[in-house]
Amino acid sequence: KAGVTQTPRYLIKTRGQQVTLSCSPISGHRSVSWYQQTPGQGLQFLFEYFSETQRNKGNFPGRFSGRQFSNSRSEMNVSTLELGDSALYLCASSRLLAGRKETQYFGPGTRLLVL
Amino acid sequence: TQLLEQSPQFLSIQEGENLTVYCNSSSVFSSLQWYRQEPGEGPVLLVTVVTGGEVKKLKRLTFQFGDARKDSSLHITAAQPGDTGLYLCAGLNNAGNMLTFGGGTRLMVKP
């Protein structure tokens, strides 16, 4: 079974631009979570989508947004990029059982560099 | 907000040595997961512990969940260079909808 895929793997942008990252979950997984990983802050939760609806949201500004499509693929968007947005963005998919997350499987991440 | 503190942050040891990584919180978690992440890759799940006091072994790795389900430890026996990586603990809240990660322990095992 194919794992979680993320595109692109690497991205360089300049301040003020916007970026869209894509995540395809494991087949049959309808929950997709996004995380930001930086050396200083570690892995921080951005948001989770399930059945095209945002189920949970972390403490990130409104510049960070996401969506999920009917095939469970998800995208996240960051507008008006800042230098501090440089990070590894990880996507994880899982099944939900009675509303509870089962094991999360992570993709390889998209490394974003903002200049 | 639930927080998980991992220690140590960095660990550099020689091949063959033993080590323990700790994951502590003041909050109770319904389960605790341990991941290993290698450069350029996403975290890979090693184990999930669910019951207070539970001990799980994965070859040379031993994972323990505290009795009160607030802390966990990972012990590696006779570390090998292939164990090098970033080890992350993550706690699942009682509602089962939020996973909180610790800051990670970066392990380097020198041959």
Side-chain angles (χ1 to χ4, degrees):
Chain A
K1 179 153 82 165
V4 178
T5 58
Q6 291 187 246
T7 56
R9 290 293 309 273
Y10 305 93
L11 206 47
I12 300 176
K13 292 284 189 179
T14 55
R15 275 181 301 174
Q17 288 188 309
Q18 68 141 20
V19 67
T20 300
L21 312 181
S22 180
C23 171
S24 291
I26 291 172
S27 177
H29 287 191
R30 293 165 61 196
S31 168
V32 174
S33 298
W34 287 91
Y35 295 86
Q36 182 195 65
Q37 187 176 32
T38 59
Q41 299 296 320
L43 247 161
Q44 292 190 289
F45 173 73
L46 280 156
F47 29 65
E48 178 194 4
Y49 285 86
F50 177 75
S51 291
E52 302 176 66
T53 302
Q54 190 178 86
R55 201 168 86 107
N56 281 304
K57 189 177 188 309
N59 295 324
F60 278 81
R63 299 185 297 106
F64 292 81
S65 62
R67 59 177 176 167
Q68 187 179 35
F69 302 94
S70 58
N71 62 357
S72 294
R73 190 177 71 85
S74 177
E75 288 181 346
M76 69 162 279
N77 184 277
V78 188
S79 62
T80 320
L81 283 165
E82 301 177 359
L83 295 180
D85 297 333
S86 294
L88 180 68
Y89 290 89
L90 291 160
C91 160
S93 77
S94 66
R95 276 191 254 259
L96 293 186
L97 185 62
R100 297 180 64 83
K101 277 187 184 180
E102 295 198 321
T103 300
Q104 277 194 143
Y105 295 88
F106 282 85
T110 294
R111 186 161 295 282
L112 171 65
L113 177 62
V114 182
L115 301 176
Chain B
T1 306
Q2 295 183 304
L3 294 174
L4 270 171
E5 305 251 357
Q6 263 187 261
S7 62
Q9 284 186 287
F10 301 97
L11 199 49
S12 180
I13 60 173
Q14 293 294 133
E15 183 176 0
E17 292 183 11
N18 301 332
L19 67 116
T20 302
V21 176
Y22 299 94
C23 182
N24 295 298
S25 176
S26 57
S27 304
V28 175
F29 293 100
S30 66
S31 67
L32 205 295
Q33 300 170 14
W34 285 92
Y35 292 82
R36 189 175 90 183
Q37 185 179 18
E38 299 192 31
E41 300 295 330
V44 174
L45 181 70
L46 295 173
V47 79
T48 301
V49 284
V50 179
T51 308
E54 183 177 3
V55 176
K56 277 192 175 177
K57 289 194 174 184
L58 192 66
K59 296 183 182 177
R60 294 176 293 100
L61 278 60
T62 302
F63 304 85
Q64 186 161 8
F65 202 10
D67 291 341
R69 290 188 287 130
K70 292 181 181 181
D71 55 83
S72 181
S73 63
L74 156 61
H75 183 79
I76 302 180
T77 304
Q80 298 177 1
D83 296 327
T84 293
L86 177 68
Y87 288 82
L88 295 157
C89 64
L92 186 65
N93 64 351
N94 286 330
N97 62 1
M98 185 69 70
L99 200 61
T100 300
F101 280 83
T105 294
R106 194 165 293 281
L107 171 66
M108 177 173 289
V109 182
K110 300 175 189 174

